[in-house]
Amino acid sequence: MGDDGIDEVTVRALLEEHHPDLAGLEIHGPVRGWDHQLWRLGGELAVRIPCTPQASDLLRKEYRWLPLLAPGLPLPVPTPLRITEPSALFPRPWNIAAWVPGEPADRAPVSEGRRSAHALAGFLAALHQAAPRDAPGNPERGVALDSLTPSFDRALRGVASLVPDGVQEVWNDAVAAPAWAGPPVWLHGDLHPANVVVSQGALHGVVDFGDLCAGDPATDLVAAWMLLPAPAIPLFLDAYGRADEPMIRRARGWTVLRALGLIAIGRAGEEGLPGGKPTWGPAGRLALDRVLASH
């Protein structure tokens, strides 16, 4: 049984009601994400069911934009294929998307650093194109870092006993770096280990585009410190080819901010609290170690 009382019987009934051509496929799951639960449908599809109040808006945003971006991206992504409006069986919209095979990197960390560095660089170079004027914004992604200093201060206080010295200095340096002066570019917005998948040790796909928005590309460069073994980070930066010193400084700041969040969610998971993810804490601490080593 998944969240919101959704089980395989309900998923099958939803398919029979709205997508009878798919209702005979095998169903496996659920896999619980942050805002959605996923049920694998056959070998190539996924049923995505929202399970948080904001999930419906995120799902509609993905359905609007991701099919336009996906053809230009060199890694598999969960392209939405169909969206279904609320009904008596389920009171929110839900969708059917492409299944991205692999294991989440918080459970199967990247070990093939060179291959993954080039794969990540190619993905972000392809994604980071100038966004149209009506692209979505996000007050916590792609923005000037100084606007997030209160969030950073709260996050650091919340897990201060679990993080090494030096994190404040990284943040201060990032805030002091020159701001992004280019046009807003497309961003994934949430590139941490649970939002990418790994196959045979290498980065294989990127999932969960709920924070898709436009802004400063440094926001997405957190992926280097979040995902890659330390020796592969310079390889990524060279292959990406667009990261000057100010962007790298800002990216380190974004990384420590996101890592503090992972550590807090990891601690909640260790304590058995709602919304906790035990595998996120080690990922966040490892990201901080990589940033501090390169600062």
Side-chain angles (χ1 to χ4, degrees):
M1 175 87 58
D3 297 314
D4 293 334
I6 299 294
D7 57 15
E8 182 178 339
V9 172
T10 306
V11 174
R12 182 80 65 190
L14 287 169
L15 290 169
E16 289 172 348
E17 179 181 41
H18 297 281
H19 306 286
D21 58 316
L22 303 177
L25 297 175
E26 291 188 10
I27 297 173
H28 302 280
V31 176
R32 174 66 161 86
W34 189 255
D35 290 297
H36 299 86
Q37 52 172 281
L38 280 72
W39 297 78
R40 189 168 184 177
L41 181 62
E44 299 181 354
L45 301 174
V47 178
R48 299 177 73 231
I49 306 288
C51 53
T52 64
Q54 69 270 18
S56 296
D57 289 341
L58 303 181
L59 185 147
R60 291 189 187 280
K61 178 172 65 174
E62 290 184 18
Y63 188 76
R64 166 71 176 86
W65 294 107
L66 191 52
L68 301 178
L69 297 172
L73 301 177
L75 290 174
V77 298
T79 307
L81 304 173
R82 306 182 188 183
I83 193 166
T84 306
E85 295 302 324
S87 69
L89 276 177
F90 189 73
R92 301 174 185 168
W94 53 279
N95 77 4
I96 294 173
W99 178 262
V100 180
E103 291 294 322
D106 61 320
R107 300 180 181 275
V110 167
S111 58
E112 294 289 334
R114 179 176 292 274
R115 279 200 291 151
S116 298
H118 285 281
L120 179 62
F123 176 83
L124 289 181
L127 177 63
H128 289 170
Q129 306 300 316
R133 290 187 176 183
D134 58 343
N138 188 316
E140 297 183 347
R141 305 287 195 275
V143 298
L145 279 173
D146 59 0
S147 69
L148 298 177
T149 292
S151 297
F152 171 82
D153 291 342
R154 287 192 298 271
L156 183 58
R157 286 196 302 270
V159 294
S161 64
L162 302 177
V163 302
D165 294 335
V167 171
Q168 183 71 60
E169 287 74 13
V170 173
W171 178 260
N172 293 344
D173 181 66
V175 170
W180 172 244
V185 303
W186 279 115
L187 306 173
H188 178 279
D190 201 22
L191 283 172
H192 61 74
N195 285 343
V196 303
V197 295
V198 172
S199 178
Q200 297 181 336
L203 181 65
H204 180 69
V206 179
V207 300
D208 196 345
F209 282 74
D211 282 308
L212 182 72
C213 63
D216 178 2
T219 307
D220 277 351
L221 298 196
V222 301
W225 291 271
M226 286 280 185
L227 303 175
L228 299 176
I233 295 172
L235 299 178
F236 161 78
L237 294 172
D238 287 345
Y240 178 71
R242 307 177 188 178
D244 58 13
E245 181 186 3
M247 188 183 295
I248 293 172
R249 291 166 63 191
R250 296 194 306 274
R252 291 187 182 121
W254 281 107
T255 303
V256 297
L257 178 61
R258 297 297 165 223
L260 294 175
L262 294 186
I263 291 168
I265 293 168
R267 182 176 62 183
E270 293 166 2
E271 295 174 354
L273 299 176
K277 306 280 187 181
T279 57
W280 290 24
R285 289 190 289 272
L286 186 55
L288 287 185
D289 290 343
R290 291 170 180 154
V291 167
L292 293 171
S294 66
H295 181 57

